[in-house]
Amino acid sequence: MKKIGILGGLSPESTVPYYQYIVDFSVKYLPELVYPEVAIYSVNFGEVVKNMRSGKQDEVRKQFQWVIDHFNSMGVEVFAIACNTMHIHLPYLNTYDMEVVHIAEVVGREAQKRGYKKLMLFGTKRLLDSRLYPEILEKYGVEVVYPSEEDAIAIDKLIFRLGNGEITDDTRKEAISFVEKYQNEVDAIILGCTELPLVVPRDQYPVLDTTYLHAKAIFERATGVQVEE
């Protein structure tokens, strides 16, 4: 098996499920007491957000690179960033010869597998304003659309509340209200922030849970074992 390195803490709330999924997959698909080696580095989320909002992208990338350098020295072979938005920094990072599991590529493959042609992206405003998802999903024959500007701003605010630990009935209702508003306009909605699956159950709504899909792909890449849906 290959050693896994996960850059997490973006936010801590959504990093926890990554490890839990990997543990659960291991119990189900690997021999007794066999688990892949996993290194998780949880960065200071507040510091990253502060640098992003003040336009200090180089500082963010410097911090991420420091983590990757240490992963490399540890012998990490499979690398992932446990956050959709922070993938915008990936092209500027040296990941050495690690196998990078890109979250949008994972979503693209899943959409293609399900025959989806039109998806709506929920995520931070920074992610929505980037071309990350449209550029990648175009390769899979998938069109990416967005919620209204007003709703996009509201979803952005909701995401940061979730990242601050506000996993409550109120945040659940708000998130689900946005899904219900748009679910009939597209094949599915990308929960393009790893906090959103904390309050929107993937088995009850037409959504693509990026946390689950990403964790599954990381496990599969590291172990060579396919997870059955």
Side-chain angles (χ1 to χ4, degrees), residues 24-184:
D24 292 345
F25 293 144
S26 299
V27 170
K28 185 173 182 179
Y29 294 101
L30 299 180
E32 185 179 4
L33 302 180
V34 175
Y35 300 85
E37 293 180 67
V38 183
I40 299 175
Y41 190 94
S42 183
V43 299
N44 183 338
F45 188 42
E47 184 179 345
V48 172
V49 171
K50 180 181 177 181
N51 284 328
M52 290 280 284
R53 287 175 173 171
S54 59
K56 297 179 181 178
Q57 311 304 324
D58 289 344
E59 290 299 314
V60 175
R61 292 164 190 165
K62 188 185 299 182
Q63 185 175 8
F64 289 176
Q65 189 61 59
W66 182 88
V67 176
I68 296 170
D69 291 346
H70 281 72
F71 279 167
N72 184 58
S73 68
M74 294 169 61
V76 163
E77 298 160 281
V78 175
F79 171 71
I81 301 175
C83 175
N84 283 268
T85 302
M86 297 306 164
H87 275 68
I88 64 178
H89 297 294
L90 197 49
Y92 304 94
L93 302 173
N94 175 14
T95 54
Y96 300 93
D97 58 353
M98 300 175 197
E99 297 177 40
V100 178
V101 183
H102 194 295
I103 199 165
E105 293 282 358
V106 171
V107 171
R109 289 193 293 271
E110 185 67 19
Q112 188 176 62
K113 175 183 171 183
R114 299 188 188 188
Y116 293 162
K117 296 298 181 183
K118 186 177 182 181
L119 300 174
M120 177 167 286
L121 178 63
F122 283 5
T124 65
K125 274 290 286 159
R126 190 173 295 273
L127 178 66
L128 269 58
D129 291 341
S130 77
R131 293 289 300 164
L132 180 73
Y133 264 95
E135 288 178 356
I136 290 178
L137 266 60
E138 184 180 18
K139 299 186 301 183
Y140 297 92
V142 177
E143 177 189 3
V144 177
V145 296
Y146 305 95
S148 69
E149 182 72 9
E150 180 182 357
D151 286 344
I153 291 170
I155 291 169
D156 181 88
K157 291 178 180 177
L158 172 63
I159 287 167
F160 282 97
R161 288 173 62 197
L162 297 173
N164 196 43
E166 292 186 47
I167 315 300
T168 65
D169 287 342
D170 285 344
T171 53
R172 244 180 231 102
K173 288 176 184 176
E174 185 177 353
I176 289 171
S177 72
F178 288 121
V179 172
E180 291 177 338
K181 179 176 180 177
Y182 290 105
Q183 62 183 350
N184 295 323

Side-chain angles (χ1 to χ4, degrees), residues 209-224:
D209 177 343
T210 56
T211 305
Y212 173 79
L213 293 172
H214 201 202
K216 179 167 77 76
I218 293 166
F219 174 82
E220 291 175 338
R221 185 75 63 87
T223 64

